[in-house]
């Protein structure tokens, strides 16, 4: 695909108007929405209003008058349709790691000590496995890691308490079959916990249809809520009243403003809130979700998914044709692919340096160490275009084939890679 082809595709794109809702820097091709979403143009004004009007003028009255106290539930209701959940089932609160701790603890409680093994995969995002290690230590259990996705079913035996997986693997972009794996886990007597950090707002998710047990995810990747945006948590309604999450903060109390000395958990998902919601951060996420309302009118998830697959397919084809020795680690099968393309380069080519050289040329992806070292390119159909694909492939091909990456300014690794 050349630039003229890309422009024709962009002109016919039903989602093309959404790009204008983002503050994308001129001259930058941003292909890292799987790590940090772009900033919506309306976000600075929304935060400014929250500071200068709701806080500075409304002061503490704004907990009621501006609806601050209801933000966790209101944002959860806005997210719910994109997750295959219903209003009242999703809560926006805390971070992904904290929410994962809550639901893993609750899931092991549901097993009543009869099972204590959490099964995941070694390539799962490290913080998820770290949190799981903490939880099993507290419960006297064990974390067992599958080396490959194909190894998972054999680990779902009568010792397994919980299957914990990230729906879209952060390294490869491979999608797990949520419905199938949830069914297998539950048939073995285990519970299914899903991390939707790389799924929410970008691939179809049907939590209720899959009968999952718990789910968590973040708001700062494809949802574009900003760095460190609040996370979300979901519990299947069948578990309501059977188990309580361990971080019993005051806003998870059934009557927080009665200021009782004894904790009484709120019904449903509300008990998964701990402390005071971060109003400014939630205001930013609230604004970002306005763009998803606009996307819903332009075809919704079906349109987003179709464009995502077209963008990643075009990028894979471009890399195959123009980047010698590059190995694609993301599934080529569309049904198994999220919205990113991960690739490695031949031995002797420093992937980190290649990414830094790309960034210097205005093409931003990211780098992940490990075996193999991967360059990741995330495609956000809300704002990425087919022209972005061409610019990305052009820059990558030139940096690799010219050896431009092999310069001192690109090889010195920063704290954040």
């Amino acid at each position: 695909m050349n630039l003229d082809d890309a422009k024709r595709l962009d002109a016919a794109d039903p989602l093309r108007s959404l790009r204008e809702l983002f503050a994308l820097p001129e001259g930058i091709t941003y292909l890292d929405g799987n790590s940090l979403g772009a900033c919506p143009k309306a976000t600075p004004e929304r935060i400014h209003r929250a500071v200068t009007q709701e806080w500075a003028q409304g002061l503490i009255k704004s907990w009621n008058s501006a609806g601050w106290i209801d933000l966790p539930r209101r944002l959860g209701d806005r997210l719910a349709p994109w997750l295959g959940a219903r209003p009242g089932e999703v809560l926006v609160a805390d971070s992904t790691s904290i929410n994962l701790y809550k639901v893993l603890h609750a899931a092991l409680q549901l097993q009543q000590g009869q099972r204590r093994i959490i099964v995941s995969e070694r390539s799962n995002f490290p913080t998820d496995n770290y949190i799981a290690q903490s939880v099993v230590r507290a419960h006297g259990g064990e974390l067992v890691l599958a080396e490959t996705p194909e190894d998972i079913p054999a680990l779902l035996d009568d010792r397994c308490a919980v299957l914990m997986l990230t729906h879209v693997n952060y390294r490869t972009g491979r999608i797990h079959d949520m419905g199938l794996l949830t069914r297998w886990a539950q048939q073995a007597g285990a519970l299914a916990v899903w991390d939707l950090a790389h799924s929410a707002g970008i691939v179809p998710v049907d939590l209720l249809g899959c009968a999952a047990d718990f789910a968590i995810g973040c708001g700062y990747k494809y949802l574009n809520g900003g760095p460190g945006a609040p996370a979300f948590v979901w519990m299947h309604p069948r578990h309501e009243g059977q188990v309580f999450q361990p971080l019993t903060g005051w806003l998870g109390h059934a009557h927080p403003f009665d200021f009782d000395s004894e904790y009484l958990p709120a019904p449903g998902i509300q008990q998964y809130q701990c402390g005071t919601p971060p109003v400014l951060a939630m205001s930013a996420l609230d604004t970002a979700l306005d763009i998803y309302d606009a996307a819903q009118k332009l075809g919704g998830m079906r349109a987003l998914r179709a464009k995502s697959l077209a963008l990643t397919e075009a990028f894979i084809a471009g890399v195959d044709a123009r980047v010698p020795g590059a190995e694609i680690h993301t599934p080529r099968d569309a049904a198994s692919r999220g919205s990113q393309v991960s690739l490695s380069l031949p031995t002797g080519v420093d992937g980190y340096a290649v990414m830094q050289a790309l960034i210097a040329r205005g093409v931003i992806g990211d780098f992940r160490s490990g075996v193999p070292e991967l360059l990741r390119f995330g495609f956000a159909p809300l704002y990425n275009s087919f022209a972005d694909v061409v610019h990305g492939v052009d820059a990558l091909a030139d940096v690799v084939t010219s050896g431009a990456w092999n310069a001192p300014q690109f090889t010195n690794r920063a704290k954040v890679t």
Side-chain angles (χ1 to χ4, degrees):
M1 181 171 62
N2 59 35
L3 191 56
D4 287 338
D5 296 330
K7 289 179 177 179
R8 283 193 291 271
L9 290 171
D10 287 332
D13 175 17
L15 301 174
R16 63 187 181 278
S17 61
L18 299 178
R19 183 180 174 95
E20 298 305 314
L21 302 178
F22 289 89
L24 297 167
E26 187 175 353
I28 296 295
T29 299
Y30 191 64
L31 303 178
D32 206 14
N34 56 320
S35 191
L36 174 66
C39 179
K41 287 180 179 177
T43 298
E45 174 55 33
R46 177 65 185 91
I47 295 176
H48 183 264
R49 184 169 77 250
V51 171
T52 61
Q53 297 179 29
E54 296 171 9
W55 178 15
Q57 300 300 316
L59 296 169
I60 201 167
K61 296 181 297 180
S62 288
W63 284 107
N64 290 311
S65 62
W68 287 353
I69 196 67
D70 298 320
L71 278 170
R73 295 295 294 269
R74 185 162 63 84
L75 293 181
D77 287 350
R78 298 188 73 185
L79 270 175
W82 298 94
L83 306 178
R86 293 174 298 213
E89 294 179 352
V90 179
L91 185 78
V92 171
D94 301 312
S95 69
T96 308
S97 297
I98 291 173
N99 287 337
L100 182 60
Y101 180 85
K102 297 173 194 173
V103 301
L104 286 178
H105 190 284
L108 287 182
Q109 281 187 326
L110 281 168
Q111 296 287 12
Q112 300 179 341
Q114 298 174 15
R115 297 167 178 242
R116 295 181 180 179
I117 289 179
I118 296 176
V119 169
S120 190
E121 56 184 340
R122 194 168 301 280
S123 65
N124 198 11
F125 192 71
T127 193
D128 287 19
N129 289 349
Y130 300 160
I131 292 294
Q133 290 167 14
S134 172
V135 172
V136 295
R137 279 197 299 268
H139 285 264
E142 182 184 359
L143 173 64
V144 176
L145 300 177
E147 298 299 330
T148 70
E150 290 72 25
D151 295 332
I152 293 172
L155 300 176
L156 302 176
D157 56 24
D158 57 6
R159 302 173 302 154
C160 177
V162 177
L163 173 64
M164 175 195 72
L165 293 172
T166 301
H167 185 213
V168 176
N169 185 280
Y170 88 104
R171 284 183 61 80
T172 65
R174 173 175 174 165
I175 298 179
H176 284 294
D177 188 328
M178 182 184 291
L180 182 62
L181 285 166
T182 295
R183 185 165 66 253
W184 284 350
Q186 292 170 348
Q187 287 173 349
L191 300 172
V193 173
W194 291 96
D195 182 342
L196 305 180
H198 290 82
S199 306
I202 193 67
V203 301
V205 176
D206 187 5
L207 291 171
L208 286 170
C210 292
D213 293 287
F214 297 92
I216 52 94
C218 71
Y220 54 80
K221 299 183 189 296
Y222 292 110
L223 295 177
N224 307 298
F232 60 87
V233 57
W234 173 85
M235 173 184 69
H236 197 287
R238 66 175 172 268
H239 297 313
E240 182 174 347
Q242 298 185 44
V243 66
F244 305 123
Q245 65 98 353
L247 303 180
T248 51
W250 76 301
L251 285 180
H253 193 284
H255 309 289
F257 289 94
D258 285 355
F259 299 104
D260 293 333
S261 59
E262 296 296 324
Y263 183 78
L264 176 65
I269 199 64
Q270 183 61 42
Q271 71 171 265
Y272 283 78
Q273 187 170 349
C274 294
T276 307
V279 170
L280 301 184
M282 287 194 169
S283 297
L285 179 57
D286 193 23
T287 304
L289 293 178
D290 290 341
I291 298 179
Y292 274 89
D293 291 343
Q296 189 63 48
K297 299 174 183 177
L298 298 174
M301 179 52 72
R302 179 174 295 183
L304 291 172
R305 179 65 171 154
K307 183 178 176 183
S308 163
L309 291 176
L311 291 169
T312 51
E313 186 75 28
F315 189 81
I316 290 171
V319 170
D320 284 343
R322 302 193 52 205
V323 184
E327 181 180 354
I328 302 294
H329 292 266
T330 299
R332 294 173 183 271
D333 170 46
S336 302
R337 185 170 68 243
S339 198
Q340 71 185 60
V341 177
S342 299
L343 60 92
S344 62
L345 296 170
T347 301
V349 180
D350 185 341
Y352 175 83
V354 169
M355 184 56 70
Q356 295 308 303
L358 286 173
I359 293 171
R361 296 186 181 204
V363 174
I364 301 178
D366 66 24
F367 168 84
R368 291 294 178 261
S369 60
V371 181
E373 293 188 334
L374 295 177
L375 281 71
R376 300 191 313 169
F377 300 88
F379 293 86
L382 292 176
Y383 54 81
N384 280 134
S385 64
F386 290 93
D388 289 338
V389 171
V390 173
H391 295 320
V393 171
D394 284 350
L396 178 61
D398 186 63
V399 164
V400 172
T401 57
S402 70
W405 58 270
N406 195 13
Q409 68 268 31
F410 301 138
T411 57
N412 185 28
R413 299 198 178 191
K415 182 179 293 187
V416 178
T417 62

